[in-house]
Amino acid sequence: MPSLETARTYLRPFQPSDVQIAHEWLGDPEVMRHIPGGSLTLDQTAERVSRYIAHEIRRGFSKWLIYETASNMPIGDSGFFTLPDRARVELGYRLRKSHWGKGLATEVSRAWLSVAHDWYGLTEVYAYALPGNTASLHVMQKLGFAYSHLEDIYEVEVPLYKLQLGGQ
Ligand SMILES: CC(C)(COP(=O)(O)OP(=O)(O)OC[C@H]1O[C@@H](n2cnc3c(N)ncnc32)[C@H](O)[C@@H]1OP(=O)(O)O)[C@@H](O)C(=O)NCCC(=O)NCCS
């Protein structure tokens, strides 16, 4: 199974048996507060994990499970996923609350961006965050994303941000 390592974490693709663990943050209203649709039921988490697995098979990339290396504990998910137009690609990140505020989303995102071109041939990446999501907007800013435009995504109008990778 492929994996991605950072200083404090490692990531791997989702497996069907990950539903219960992922529900610990996908089912948490506080974690999902700024995400269109809000927190998920267990059935919706199962559907989401299936979608991540199917996307990995179909497109060769997807959201992966993040483990904290020191504790070997799953702490969130992050990765690339196609926007609804199935052409453009977004970078997403989400952590359980206990792991917020330690620079982990930035660390994981930087690792993704460093392999985006070589592994997946990406030359540009999008990300979105609702205006109140200060932490996420801050992460994007640190990564160098620039505001692009407003767009209806997942039935909600969201500001899209864009990062040019330049094919390096
Ligand atoms: C968004 C999220 C992934 C950020 O993870 P994180 O590991 O805490 O992020 P980082 O520590 O790498 O960076 C967060 C930055 O925002 C800042 N920040 C966090 N909350 C803030 C707030 N309320 N106001 C101002 N700045 C804030 C932090 O200080 C940090 O900046 P700094 O490094 O300059 O100090 C995490 O909060 C999360 O999982 N949120 C719920 C899911 C979510 O909304 N995901 C994004 C969907 S768009």
Side-chain angles (χ1 to χ4, degrees), residues 1-5 10-15 56-57 60-65 67 112 115 119-120:
M1 181 178 294
S3 67
L4 178 69
E5 270 184 48
Y10 67 95
L11 293 84
R12 62 148 175 89
F14 271 97
Q15 296 175 340
E56 180 76 32
I57 294 167
F61 58 87
S62 192
K63 301 279 172 78
W64 287 9
L65 199 59
Y67 282 82
W112 274 127
V115 300
W119 287 14
Y120 306 131

Side-chain angles (χ1 to χ4, degrees), residues 73-128:
M73 173 183 164
I75 56 165
D77 63 84
S78 176
F80 297 116
F81 207 81
T82 44
L83 289 170
D85 67 2
R86 299 203 170 180
R88 294 166 301 166
V89 172
E90 61 131 336
L91 173 66
Y93 36 75
R94 193 159 34 206
L95 298 172
R96 58 165 92 229
K97 261 187 325 242
S98 54
H99 286 70
W100 289 1
K102 301 171 187 216
L104 288 166
T106 307
E107 178 178 315
V108 166
S109 298
R110 286 207 168 109
W112 274 127
L113 293 170
S114 74
V115 300
H117 183 260
D118 287 356
W119 287 14
Y120 306 131
L122 300 178
T123 54
E124 60 179 31
V125 176
Y126 288 84
Y128 64 85

